[in-house]
Amino acid sequence: MDIEDVRAKTPDQLKDDLLALKKEQFNLRFQAASGQLENTARVRVVRRDIARIKTVMGERGKSAAPAK
């Protein structure tokens, strides 16, 4: 997932993607703990995608808030 893709999505799409990535991260942690994880690089990719989405959501939240 690229940052341009994330910025092009609506807030509802971002929330849905964030929920799906958190579920995937949870499943990856279980696979790693049980020794069944085959693609260890996927953990890093998912973690960074979550960070990208949270960053864009935070930027939008700050831009929508009134300046004091």
Side-chain angles (χ1 to χ4, degrees):
M1 183 178 305
D2 203 7
I3 191 69
E4 288 86 19
D5 299 336
V6 175
R7 289 180 197 228
K9 293 185 178 187
T10 65
D12 289 334
Q13 289 174 328
L14 289 176
K15 288 178 185 176
D16 291 341
D17 287 348
L18 184 61
L19 183 63
L21 286 169
K22 286 193 174 235
K23 285 181 182 180
E24 183 177 356
Q25 184 183 35
F26 181 78
N27 289 331
L28 289 172
R29 279 200 317 259
F30 265 92
Q31 289 177 11
S34 64
Q36 296 176 348
L37 185 62
E38 293 178 10
N39 186 3
T40 57
R42 184 68 185 151
V43 175
R44 183 178 183 185
V45 170
V46 169
R47 191 174 67 236
R48 289 185 177 189
D49 285 345
I50 290 171
R52 281 188 192 102
I53 290 174
K54 285 186 173 184
T55 300
V56 170
M57 289 174 75
E59 287 174 351
R60 289 182 182 175
K62 288 181 182 178
S63 66
K68 293 184 178 178

